[in-house]
Amino acid sequence: MDVLARTWAWLGTGANWAGEGGAWHRLGEHLYVSGVAMALACAVALPVALYLGHVGRGGALAVNLANAGRAVPVFAVLALFMVTPLRSAGYVPTIIALVLFAVPPLLTNAYVGMREVDRAVVEAARGMGMSGGQLFVRVELPLAYPMVMTGLRSAAVQVVATATIAAMVGQGGLGRIITAGFNTYDTPQVVAGALLVAVLALLVEAVLVAVDRLFSPLRKTV
Amino acid sequence: MAGQDCLVTNDWICGEYLRSRSQELIDATVQHVGITGASVAIGLVVSFPLALLARSRPRFAGPVLGLTTVLYTIPSLAMFSLLLPFFGLSAALVVTGLVLYSLTILVRNTVAGLEAVPAEAREAARGMGYGPARLLWEVELPLALPALMAGLRIATVSTVALTTVGSIVGRGGLGNLIEDALPSFFKAQVLTASVLCVLLAVAADLLLLGAQRLLTPWTRIRDAGTRGAH
């Protein structure tokens, strides 16, 4: 197919990768925005979810928050920021929108993971005289780890994929390659941009799966 | 002229905007509902046989679930762009993209729902001489309905939100209004369209919840029963 051949040609052209608007620069912006957003979302969501899971309260809140999050279009959130003075704050609006988007899956998965830890195991650990803190670090956290990582992975992939929308409000990232192609009716460039984002999302997923395997506290027993 | 002040001062909430642009708002909402409805309906029709296939032929289950998951990792903006060579700048482009997204959630939930049907119920129906088709329609499907409806609700709500991105090709319903308002920083239009989007998602969710209650009256009887037993 002609478009695929021309897309390949676009990707193979060095000039498309170099410079301020080049693919490498856009890739850097994309990774920076997604990375900062993920780090902030984890810093906000994980402590709260793990604590709520430990004390066993607030589950309905976490689930409802996640469901409500799906109803809010990221594009609308970003657009709302762009008509406030925040628009001149560089990547701040994009990062806030992405954090709002990443918190619900992180929160729900971490909370559910903590709650699904076998109660009998928790009781046994308590019976052995473990304090709340020891129980949390040695029993609940390792057992909840797979669910926490699942949440982290889906949040990361969604954030990388969604960061493209920043381009629709004139911000940087790989989405800019797509919107620039749209504006000049350059279909191969649009497809090339889309491919780059999809590959990046799959790469992030693969890296996180590898990290998950390497650091899983249960890897010796499974 | 007093009513037009809020348009001049570019307020967030503006009654005059709602009044003078009501037709525009209605048109965008209708387009939004149409695109979302068509996408979810087609998604349901496509996902059902896929879920049945994944269940009856375990060899297909991995590829079917894997493929729909990969589709989910493609960004919405990229998805619409990747489909561009096939559909051009049309509503079919947006609908196809949204259908592909809904498949992940719908197939997963349908498979999970069908697998959760108790084996005894299946055995009992088989013992009563139910064939495979009748077993599916009269026993398995009703029992899988709560899981299926849960998936349908999630898919619908996220499709309402994702439809806005369709504004890249001018078929984004309320997203079009948001995009149009951005260059001039027209606050009232951005806020009104965004709020309408969220209201639309909430309304669709409640509607489906109501439908689920109507379709599965036995779950409420069972809930009442367990509550009475405590």
Side-chain angles (χ1 to χ4, degrees):
Chain A
M1 180 168 170
D2 184 42
V3 171
L4 285 183
R6 278 160 55 212
T7 302
W8 190 244
W10 190 95
L11 286 171
T13 307
N16 291 329
W17 290 80
E20 184 70 8
W24 285 123
H25 184 72
R26 294 296 183 211
L27 189 72
E29 289 174 333
H30 205 98
L31 281 174
Y32 170 73
V33 167
S34 315
V36 172
M38 268 311 283
L40 285 175
C42 285
V44 172
L46 292 183
V48 173
L50 294 176
Y51 177 73
L52 289 180
H54 178 63
V55 298
R57 258 173 302 188
L61 177 82
V63 174
N64 283 331
L65 202 76
N67 287 339
R70 286 180 200 274
V72 182
V74 187
F75 176 46
V77 174
L78 254 183
L80 281 172
F81 283 134
M82 294 318 280
V83 289
T84 66
L86 264 182
R87 65 170 167 269
S88 43
Y91 291 119
V92 175
T94 316
I95 289 172
I96 297 176
L98 289 177
V99 168
L100 291 177
F101 190 61
V103 162
L106 284 171
L107 201 65
T108 331
N109 272 278
Y111 179 83
V112 171
M114 288 292 281
R115 292 317 297 161
E116 278 186 354
V117 172
D118 195 340
R119 287 298 106 191
V121 176
V122 174
E123 288 310 314
R126 272 227 181 84
M128 285 163 64
M130 277 196 187
S131 68
Q134 284 174 326
L135 182 70
F136 176 72
V137 175
R138 295 202 204 150
V139 179
E140 289 178 321
L141 206 54
L143 289 175
Y145 179 85
M147 273 295 274
V148 177
M149 279 309 283
T150 307
L152 192 77
R153 258 167 46 204
S154 63
V157 171
Q158 281 180 33
V159 162
V160 168
T162 312
T164 34
I165 299 194
M168 290 178 80
V169 295
Q171 304 269 306
L174 288 170
R176 278 298 273 277
I177 297 176
I178 299 172
T179 48
F182 252 109
N183 295 336
T184 53
Y185 300 100
D186 186 350
T187 308
Q189 182 180 338
V190 169
V191 179
L195 269 178
L196 286 176
V197 186
V199 169
L200 184 64
L202 291 175
L203 266 180
V204 166
E205 166 93 4
V207 167
L208 287 177
V209 169
V211 169
D212 187 7
R213 295 242 168 97
L214 273 177
F215 293 99
S216 170
L218 300 174
R219 69 183 189 282
K220 284 164 205 129
T221 52
V222 175
Chain B
M1 286 303 282
Q4 297 204 349
D5 284 354
C6 60
L7 280 179
V8 177
T9 54
N10 196 12
D11 288 341
W12 284 102
I13 298 163
C14 181
E16 181 57 25
Y17 167 72
L18 291 178
R19 224 181 349 267
S20 59
R21 306 281 189 91
S22 60
Q23 193 53 47
E24 207 178 289
L25 283 166
I26 291 168
D27 288 347
T29 308
V30 167
Q31 190 188 57
H32 207 108
V33 171
I35 286 175
T36 307
S39 309
V40 174
I42 297 173
L44 205 57
V45 170
V46 176
S47 69
F48 194 66
L50 282 178
L52 287 184
L53 189 72
R55 189 186 59 139
S56 60
R57 302 259 190 290
R59 249 186 313 143
F60 284 105
V64 166
L65 292 178
L67 187 69
T68 53
T69 308
V70 167
L71 285 174
Y72 205 67
T73 64
I74 302 176
S76 46
L77 191 60
M79 177 77 94
F80 295 142
S81 344
L82 281 173
L83 295 169
L84 187 68
F86 306 98
F87 294 94
L89 297 169
S90 66
L93 166 83
V94 180
V95 170
T96 309
L98 293 174
V99 166
L100 291 177
Y101 279 122
S102 67
L103 288 184
T104 316
I105 300 162
L106 291 175
V107 170
R108 261 174 208 285
N109 274 271
T110 312
V111 169
L114 288 174
E115 274 173 0
V117 172
E120 306 94 79
R122 221 174 267 143
E123 284 308 311
R126 262 197 215 109
M128 286 165 70
Y130 278 43
R134 200 165 160 219
L135 178 71
L136 178 68
W137 284 109
E138 293 182 16
V139 178
E140 291 179 311
L141 208 54
L143 287 174
L145 209 57
L148 216 157
M149 288 299 285
L152 187 62
R153 281 172 61 195
I154 296 174
T156 307
V157 167
S158 26
T159 304
V160 171
L162 272 176
T163 300
T164 52
V165 182
S167 60
I168 183 93
V169 296
R171 298 292 202 289
L174 293 160
N176 290 353
L177 294 186
I178 297 176
E179 202 181 21
D180 290 348
L182 273 179
S184 55
F185 306 118
F186 189 177
K187 290 178 185 169
Q189 183 158 325
V190 174
L191 184 67
T192 309
S194 304
V195 168
L196 276 176
C197 261
V198 175
L199 288 181
L200 214 57
V202 172
D205 196 42
L206 290 177
L207 211 67
L208 286 172
L209 184 66
Q212 183 182 347
R213 292 235 166 146
L214 281 178
L215 287 170
T216 58
W218 62 87
T219 55
R220 266 173 298 155
I221 295 165
R222 197 167 54 203
D223 284 352
T226 50
R227 221 174 290 135
H230 276 297

